């Protein structure tokens, strides 16, 4: 799996972007087309120096004691040049980093990043305006079928190691004590079952650069172990990251358990939706769309929840009383088995599938059931239809019509005929597939970027 984000806390832009992390779940992946590759050069450093010179708005003079003191001298021409040069610098840096990770050239990627860091560009800008957008592009390129799962894993690993190395080079800012502010102690962790750790790592490093003490626990932190850790360390806040909406039930359990210890929860990541609606639904104390916003939220402070705030899931989500979510999630194995058997009867071509093709088809059906269960948990059909739209994009990018998903949905309607909310989700999903725009939606030859 890979992490998809565009400087987002916990994940990238939209939930559909984050879903691209589930590599290999929809269809076979084609090879990326070969293209000319230019080596990472020192031009980015030269542009940065020009940018810094253009943005200089003071010169040095000496006072009567001989000490050097700054004197402001505005340079409108230099400021105008800086406005033009900085975007060009960042764009060039992204292009060079993309070429390096696309070629799996870790040394070139690291050299380009550290040239920027050594030349004066803020580490936070490098994280959020260079590395994060390139990682987002990695996910888009996989989703469009232009790179393989192995290539996206290699790119993610390169970014992860570069960020770890940056942590030992970049200097954190001191807390602004003059204004009564202090650095907070923050535990950054991914929800249990969430393996997409790179967005959380970027958040952790951003918070460290802002002067906070960060305890980064990484991917897939089981909730009981997380709670035990909080009892030992007593942090000021937990930043909880999740990229995939299928983790929302687990995230809900984690949020309520953390709050029961008296520690507030800052939620982030594509699982919580681009507008944070699922973070609010599940009772998180705060939500942030991206790392800088998360840092700003912490800067304003979060009140601690009452120790007696422990609550049941049904108190936040009264619709769970109908047991549809429980029945679908617990019956997943049988639903997948029955759906596969039905598809073999309706689609004779499946009978000649290889073992690998059968496993892929079973994974696809399991994903459909997982997202249906998540939609039932949140009582939001948009979660399910959004997944089907994304899956349709993935299939069509690989030359498979999205309507191939319809027979599976129709069988699930038969299996779940006594579950009205599930039937409504399935009906909306089928309508979305039938009415979708079949024009390619991923950037590529002949399509708009």
């Amino acid at each position: 799996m890979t992490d998809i984000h565009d400087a987002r806390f916990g994940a990238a832009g939209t939930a559909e972007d984050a879903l691209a992390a589930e590599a290999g779940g929809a269809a076979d992946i084609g090879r990326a087309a070969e293209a000319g590759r230019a080596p990472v050069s020192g031009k980015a450093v030269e542009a940065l120096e020009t940018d810094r010179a253009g943005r200089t708005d003071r010169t040095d003079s000496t006072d009567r004691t001989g000490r050097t003191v700054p004197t402001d001298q505005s340079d409108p021409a230099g400021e105008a040049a800086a406005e033009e040069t900085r975007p060009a610098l960042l764009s060039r840096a992204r292009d060079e980093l993309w070429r390096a990770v696309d070629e799996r050239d870790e040394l070139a990627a690291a050299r380009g990043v550290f040239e920027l860091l050594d030349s004066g560009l803020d580490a936070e800008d490098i994280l959020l305006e260079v590395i994060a957008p390139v990682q987002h592009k990695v996910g888009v390129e996989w989703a469009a079928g232009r790179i393989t799962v192995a290539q996206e894993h290699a790119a993610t690993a390169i970014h992860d190691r570069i960020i770890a190395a940056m942590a030992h080079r970049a200097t954190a800012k001191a807390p602004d004590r003059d204004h009564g502010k202090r650095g907070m102690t923050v535990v950054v962790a991914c929800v249990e079952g969430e393996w997409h750790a790179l967005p959380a790592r970027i958040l952790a490093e951003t918070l460290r650069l802002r002067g906070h003490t960060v305890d980064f626990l990484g991917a897939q932190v089981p909730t009981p172990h997380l709670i035990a850790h909080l009892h030992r360390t007593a942090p000021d806040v937990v930043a909880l990251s999740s990229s995939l909406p299928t983790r929302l039930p687990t995230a809900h359990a984690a949020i309520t358990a953390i709050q029961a210890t008296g520690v507030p929860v800052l939620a982030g990541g594509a699982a919580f939706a681009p507008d944070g609606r699922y973070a609010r639904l599940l009772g998180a104390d705060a939500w942030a769309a991206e790392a800088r916003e998360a840092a700003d939220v912490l800067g304003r402070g979060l009140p601690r929840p009452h120790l007696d705030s422990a609550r049941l899931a049904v108190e936040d989500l009264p619709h769970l009383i109908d047991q549809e979510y429980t029945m679908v999630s617990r019956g997943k194995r049988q639903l997948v088995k029955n759906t596969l058997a039905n598809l073999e009867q309706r689609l004779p071509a499946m009978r000649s599938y290889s073992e690998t093709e059968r496993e892929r088809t079973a994974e696809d059906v399991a994903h459909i059931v997982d997202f249906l269960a998540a939609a039932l948990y949140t009582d939001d059909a948009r979660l399910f239809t959004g997944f089907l739209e994304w899956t349709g994009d993935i299939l069509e990018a690989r030359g498979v019509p999205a309507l191939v998903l319809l027979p599976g949905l129709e069988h699930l309607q038969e299996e779940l005929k006594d579950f009205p909310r599930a039937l409504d989700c399935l009906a909306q999903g089928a309508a979305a597939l039938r009415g979708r725009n079949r024009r390619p939606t991923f950037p590529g030859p002949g399509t708009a970027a």
Side-chain angles (χ1 to χ4, degrees), residues 120-207:
L121 190 64
D122 286 345
E124 184 176 302
D125 290 340
I126 296 172
L127 283 169
L128 304 182
E129 299 182 46
V130 178
I131 295 176
V134 171
Q135 181 64 26
H136 175 70
K137 182 175 181 177
V138 170
V140 171
E141 291 297 296
W142 169 79
R146 292 191 287 264
I147 65 173
T148 67
V149 173
Q151 286 173 299
E152 66 159 356
H153 284 199
T156 302
I158 289 171
H159 284 153
D160 186 71
R161 288 191 289 270
I162 289 175
I163 293 169
M166 285 178 63
H168 298 285
R169 292 275 301 272
T171 303
K173 299 176 182 177
D176 188 0
R177 300 186 186 280
D178 292 341
H179 293 83
K181 296 179 181 179
R182 66 179 181 86
M184 302 179 75
T185 300
V186 186
V187 169
V188 178
C190 293
V191 171
E192 183 174 357
E194 178 61 71
W195 292 96
H196 302 89
L198 191 61
R201 178 182 280 279
I202 288 179
L203 171 70
E205 184 60 16
T206 300
L207 296 180

Side-chain angles (χ1 to χ4, degrees), residues 13 21 55 73 85 141 171 266 297 305 307 345 364 379 391 415:
R55 284 188 290 146
Q73 290 188 353
T85 305
E141 291 297 296
T171 303
L266 171 62
V297 169
L307 290 175
Q345 292 179 357
D364 294 345
D379 198 30
T391 303
E415 289 277 329

Side-chain angles (χ1 to χ4, degrees), residues 209-352:
L209 291 168
R210 293 288 187 98
H212 299 290
T213 300
V214 179
D215 196 359
F216 176 61
L217 304 187
Q220 215 287 104
V221 183
T223 300
H225 294 281
L226 175 59
I227 300 305
H229 184 76
L230 301 184
H231 283 302
R232 287 194 300 271
T233 59
D236 295 309
V237 64
V238 171
L240 196 64
S241 175
S242 185
S243 295
L244 294 174
T246 53
R247 315 291 186 230
L248 287 174
T250 304
H252 193 190
I255 289 169
T256 56
I258 293 165
Q259 291 169 333
T261 70
V263 178
V265 177
L266 171 62
F272 297 101
D275 60 0
R277 60 182 176 269
Y278 300 135
R280 293 186 291 272
L281 181 71
L282 303 185
D285 297 281
W287 168 80
E290 44 85 28
R292 286 190 173 113
E293 183 180 338
D296 291 341
V297 169
L298 294 185
R300 294 190 294 270
L302 285 175
R304 286 185 172 269
H306 294 294
L307 290 175
D308 60 355
S309 63
R311 60 194 186 278
L312 299 174
V314 73
E315 294 180 63
D316 288 333
L317 308 173
H319 57 266
L320 293 180
I321 199 169
D322 66 11
Q323 295 292 301
E324 287 200 30
Y325 162 74
T326 302
M327 298 297 289
V328 170
S329 59
R330 289 182 179 175
K332 172 185 171 181
R333 182 178 301 226
Q334 193 63 43
L335 283 172
V336 172
K337 181 179 178 180
N338 292 351
T339 302
L340 287 175
N342 178 267
L343 289 176
E344 283 192 357
Q345 292 179 357
R346 299 178 62 175
L347 305 173
M350 279 191 61
R351 298 168 194 167
S352 61

Side-chain angles (χ1 to χ4, degrees), residues 80-92:
E83 290 300 316
E84 296 175 356
T85 305
R86 181 177 174 76
L89 164 68
L90 294 172
S91 178
R92 184 182 304 110

